[in-house]
Coordinates of all heavy atoms in Angstrom, one line a residue:
I41 N 0.8 11.7 3.3 CA 0.1 12.7 4.0 C 0.4 14.0 3.5 O 1.6 14.4 3.5 CB 0.3 12.6 5.6 CG1 0.0 11.2 6.1 CG2 -0.4 13.7 6.3 CD1 0.3 11.0 7.6
D42 N -0.6 14.9 3.1 CA -0.4 16.2 2.7 C -0.7 17.1 4.0 O -1.8 17.0 4.6 CB -1.4 16.6 1.6 CG -1.1 15.9 0.3 OD1 0.0 15.4 0.1 OD2 -2.0 15.8 -0.5
I43 N 0.3 17.9 4.3 CA 0.2 18.8 5.5 C 0.2 20.2 5.1 O 1.1 20.7 4.4 CB 1.3 18.5 6.5 CG1 1.3 17.0 7.0 CG2 1.2 19.4 7.7 CD1 2.4 16.7 7.8
S44 N -0.9 21.0 5.4 CA -0.9 22.4 5.3 C -1.3 23.0 6.5 O -1.5 22.4 7.5 CB -2.0 22.8 4.1 OG -3.3 22.5 4.5
I45 N -1.5 24.3 6.6 CA -1.9 25.0 7.8 C -3.1 24.4 8.3 O -3.2 24.3 9.7 CB -2.0 26.5 7.6 CG1 -0.6 27.1 7.1 CG2 -2.5 27.2 8.8 CD1 -0.7 28.4 6.7
R46 N -4.2 24.2 7.6 CA -5.5 23.8 8.2 C -6.0 22.4 7.8 O -6.9 21.9 8.5 CB -6.5 24.8 7.7 CG -6.1 26.2 8.1 CD -6.8 27.3 7.2 NE -8.1 27.6 7.8 CZ -9.0 28.3 7.1 NH1 -8.7 28.8 6.0 NH2 -10.1 28.6 7.7
L47 N -5.3 21.7 6.9 CA -5.9 20.5 6.4 C -4.8 19.4 6.3 O -3.7 19.7 5.8 CB -6.6 20.7 5.1 CG -7.2 19.5 4.4 CD1 -8.3 19.0 5.2 CD2 -7.7 19.9 3.0
R48 N -5.1 18.3 6.8 CA -4.2 17.1 6.6 C -5.2 16.0 5.9 O -6.3 15.7 6.4 CB -3.7 16.6 7.9 CG -2.8 17.5 8.5 CD -2.2 17.1 9.8 NE -1.4 18.1 10.3 CZ -0.9 18.1 11.6 NH1 -1.2 17.1 12.4 NH2 -0.1 19.0 12.0
V49 N -4.5 15.4 4.9 CA -5.2 14.4 4.2 C -4.3 13.2 4.1 O -3.2 13.3 3.6 CB -5.7 14.8 2.8 CG1 -6.4 13.7 2.0 CG2 -6.6 16.0 2.9
L50 N -4.9 12.0 4.4 CA -4.2 10.8 4.3 C -4.8 10.1 3.0 O -6.0 10.0 2.9 CB -4.5 9.8 5.5 CG -4.0 8.4 5.2 CD1 -2.5 8.3 5.2 CD2 -4.5 7.6 6.4
L79 N -14.3 10.3 11.0 CA -13.5 11.0 10.1 C -14.2 11.2 8.7 O -15.1 10.3 8.4 CB -12.2 10.2 9.8 CG -11.3 10.1 11.1 CD1 -10.1 9.2 10.7 CD2 -10.8 11.5 11.6
L80 N -13.9 12.1 7.9 CA -14.5 12.3 6.6 C -13.6 11.7 5.7 O -12.3 11.7 5.8 CB -14.6 13.8 6.3 CG -15.6 14.6 7.2 CD1 -15.4 16.1 6.8 CD2 -16.9 14.2 7.2
I91 N -8.6 10.5 3.3 CA -9.2 10.7 4.6 C -8.8 12.0 5.1 O -7.6 12.2 5.3 CB -8.9 9.5 5.5 CG1 -9.2 8.2 4.9 CG2 -9.5 9.7 6.9 CD1 -8.5 7.0 5.6
D92 N -9.7 12.8 5.6 CA -9.4 14.1 6.3 C -8.9 13.8 7.7 O -9.5 13.0 8.4 CB -10.6 15.0 6.3 CG -10.9 15.6 5.0 OD1 -10.2 15.5 4.1 OD2 -12.1 16.1 4.8
V93 N -7.8 14.3 8.1 CA -7.2 14.1 9.4 C -7.1 15.3 10.2 O -6.1 16.1 10.0 CB -5.8 13.4 9.2 CG1 -5.3 13.0 10.6 CG2 -5.9 12.1 8.4
P94 N -8.0 15.7 11.1 CA -8.0 16.8 11.9 C -6.7 16.8 12.9 O -6.3 15.7 13.2 CB -9.2 16.8 12.8 CG -10.2 15.8 12.1 CD -9.3 14.9 11.3
P95 N -6.1 17.9 13.1 CA -5.0 17.9 13.9 C -5.2 17.2 15.3 O -6.4 17.4 15.9 CB -4.7 19.4 14.2 CG -5.3 20.1 13.0 CD -6.4 19.2 12.7
G96 N -4.3 16.5 15.8 CA -4.4 15.7 17.1 C -5.2 14.5 17.1 O -5.4 13.8 18.1
T97 N -5.6 14.0 15.9 CA -6.4 12.8 15.7 C -5.4 11.6 15.9 O -4.4 11.5 15.3 CB -7.0 12.7 14.3 OG1 -7.9 13.8 14.2 CG2 -7.8 11.4 14.2

Side-chain angles (χ1 to χ4, degrees):
I41 298 179
D42 291 340
I43 300 175
S44 66
I45 295 172
R46 301 161 89 187
L47 178 67
R48 294 180 182 170
V49 178
L50 169 67
L79 298 172
L80 299 176
I91 305 166
D92 290 344
V93 183
T97 301

